[in-house]
Amino acid sequence: MHEEGSGGGRHVAGPAAPSGADQEFLALERELTVLLRRARASQGEMAREVHPDLEPAAYGLLVRLDEHGGQRATELACYIGVGKATMSRQLRALEELGLIVREPDPADGRAWLVTLTDEGRHRVGMVREARRARYVSKLAHWDRGEVAELARLLHQLNGGMEK
């Protein structure tokens, strides 16, 4: 059994000793927790590099628009995993900063497409290049195959999260 605490008292966590598979998932949970905590802090830094008034969560929206072009707000909300009201508030702030525009969707006049402005594309591009340079520096000792495998596994994990 897993013991927590120190000294004379014993606190037993969980009903039974974890099996091999459970140990693997515990290790995964621990590593993902650290990774996500660091990513959240990093996302805030990247957002501020794009614009000092930008919310950390908005950086992901800008990257998505940079990679996939114009998207409906409902698609963006689904991708990021937020509600319509939150998405609307974030888009309004990005629009006020001159980083995005909303235009009528030619396929459906009732809907709006969100796209990056030239300024938004420029700012996101600069931050993404700086971020890639940091990754290249931090992973310089990794084999390119390992980097590709990590990207593949993270892509697989992210794809599973969208379902």
Side-chain angles (χ1 to χ4, degrees):
M1 292 193 161
H2 177 71
E3 296 182 7
E4 296 180 344
S6 60
R10 281 175 49 168
H11 174 72
V12 178
S19 69
D22 290 335
Q23 286 292 347
E24 292 165 1
F25 281 101
L26 286 171
L28 174 64
E29 186 273 336
R30 181 179 54 250
E31 296 304 321
L32 281 175
T33 298
V34 172
L35 177 67
L36 293 173
R37 188 177 322 118
R38 288 178 178 164
R40 201 171 298 121
S42 176
Q43 189 173 16
E45 292 170 16
M46 290 181 286
R48 285 186 296 279
E49 288 177 28
V50 172
H51 193 283
D53 297 331
L54 197 61
E55 290 183 34
Y59 180 76
L61 291 174
L62 296 173
V63 169
R64 178 71 176 190
L65 292 170
D66 188 41
E67 291 180 348
H68 297 279
Q71 301 215 318
R72 291 181 181 180
T74 52
E75 293 170 322
L76 290 169
C78 181
Y79 175 74
I80 300 294
V82 298
K84 290 179 185 179
T86 300
M87 181 55 55
S88 180
R89 182 179 50 77
Q90 288 182 351
L91 293 176
R92 190 171 28 260
L94 291 170
E95 198 169 29
E96 288 172 4
L97 294 172
L99 302 174
I100 65 158
V101 292
R102 290 188 265 190
E103 302 169 322
D105 184 347
D108 180 354
R110 301 169 294 168
W112 295 84
L113 282 180
V114 179
T115 57
L116 285 177
T117 62
D118 289 341
E119 178 67 14
R121 190 170 294 103
H122 172 72
R123 287 180 182 232
V124 168
M126 286 185 354
V127 173
R128 290 188 86 188
E129 285 302 316
R131 183 178 64 176
R132 279 190 208 115
R134 279 184 250 154
Y135 290 156
V136 167
S137 173
K138 294 210 181 267
L139 301 176
H141 64 285
W142 284 39
D143 177 88
R144 285 289 180 124
E146 291 173 324
V147 173
E149 180 66 2
L150 177 60
R152 185 191 69 76
L153 290 170
L154 290 171
H155 179 75
Q156 184 177 336
L157 176 65
N158 285 328
M161 299 290 190
E162 288 180 23
K163 294 177 182 175

